[in-house]
């Protein structure tokens, strides 16, 4: 497992409040992600807290050596200004976790609400959202309570997506923005339902670790595979996503970066 070491993260050490440096896995978002504090010389894992000094079990021997060397250097010059980053200090556990902004935090950070509240895939609004039958009388969404219940069940926890990324997936109609792959569930009636079987991932065009914000202009719906391919540097994914990134930066650069770092 290789890690990118980022020199411009925006997070502070939970112990001493100094800036920390981040290590993100090159291959997978699910792999452990770490931070290093140069002042108190600790290494921590997001969501778990400080690792014992001699137990960097997830690191390769080379990486451990690199970390040791880096820790010895104690660079002073980095300026990390946190705001709107995905990295937050959790009050209770005193550790860093990566999580999405809540809708409230989003509004506070960007001075605007995020739209894409309700998603309705139906081309024809006279059909039931679940079974595709023609709606009767004054019904506008479901032909029956049963269909409403089934739909509710299918979308209930949004299949493991937090609210903000769910809004982004809704904006993108649950299609991968690179390949056009359909990332929504299709039910037994052949109807697309705005929920995903863990195929939806949301990519930050400007990486969080490079100052990228959670603003919707910085976020892109992609399939799990495309996302992995992009971060592994596979050409098709890099070309497609970087093209979008370039276009977005022309229009929305200010929103795509959190404050200070440009
Ligand atoms: Zn520290
Ligand atoms: Zn129905
Ligand atoms: Zn990504």
């Amino acid at each position: 497992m290789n890690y990118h070491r980022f020199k411009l993260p925006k997070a502070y050490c939970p112990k001493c409040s100094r800036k920390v440096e981040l290590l993100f896995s090159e291959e997978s978002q699910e792999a452990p992600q770490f931070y290093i504090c140069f002042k108190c010389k600790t290494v921590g894992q997001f969501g778990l807290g400080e690792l014992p000094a001699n137990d960097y079990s997830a690191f390769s021997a080379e990486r451990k050596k690199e970390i040791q060397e880096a820790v010895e250097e104690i660079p002073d010059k980095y300026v990390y200004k946190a705001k709107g980053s995905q990295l937050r200090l959790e009050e209770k556990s005193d550790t860093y976790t990566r999580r999405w902004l809540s809708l409230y935090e989003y509004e506070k950070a960007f001075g605007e609400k995020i739209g894409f509240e309700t998603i309705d895939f139906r081309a024809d609004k006279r059909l039931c959202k679940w079974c595709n039958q023609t709606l009767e009388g004054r019904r506008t969404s479901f032909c029956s309570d049963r269909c409403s219940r089934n739909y509710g069940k299918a979308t209930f926890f949004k299949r493991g997506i937090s609210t903000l990324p769910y809004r982004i997936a809704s904006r993108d109609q649950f299609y991968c923005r690179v390949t056009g792959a359909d990332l929504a569930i299709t039910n037994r009636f052949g109807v697309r339902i705005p929920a995903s079987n863990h195929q939806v991932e949301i990519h930050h065009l400007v990486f969080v670790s490079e100052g990228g914000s959670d603003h919707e202009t910085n976020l892109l719906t992609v399939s799990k595979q495309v996302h992995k391919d992009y971060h592994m540097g596979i050409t098709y994914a890099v070309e497609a996503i970087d093209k979008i990134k370039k276009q977005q930066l022309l229009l929305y650069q200010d929103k795509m970066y959190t404050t200070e770092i440009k």
Side-chain angles (χ1 to χ4, degrees), residues 123-174:
D124 186 343
K125 303 280 191 266
R126 291 166 305 176
L127 302 178
C128 174
K129 272 186 181 180
W130 181 255
C131 75
N132 219 24
Q133 294 297 303
T134 305
L135 296 172
E136 310 214 328
R138 295 158 76 183
R139 289 184 175 270
T140 54
S141 298
F142 301 101
C143 71
S144 63
D145 290 349
R146 206 175 127 193
C147 279
S148 167
R149 258 198 318 275
N150 283 329
Y151 184 95
K153 243 188 260 168
T155 55
F156 192 45
F157 294 115
K158 299 156 194 149
R159 301 266 172 164
I161 315 181
S162 314
T163 306
L164 178 54
Y166 186 77
R167 296 273 178 112
I168 300 304
S170 298
R171 180 198 68 191
D172 294 335
Q173 303 276 312
F174 281 74

Side-chain angles (χ1 to χ4, degrees), residues 29 202-204 227 231:
Q29 291 201 321
I202 304 299
H203 171 65
H204 286 81
H227 200 201
H231 286 285

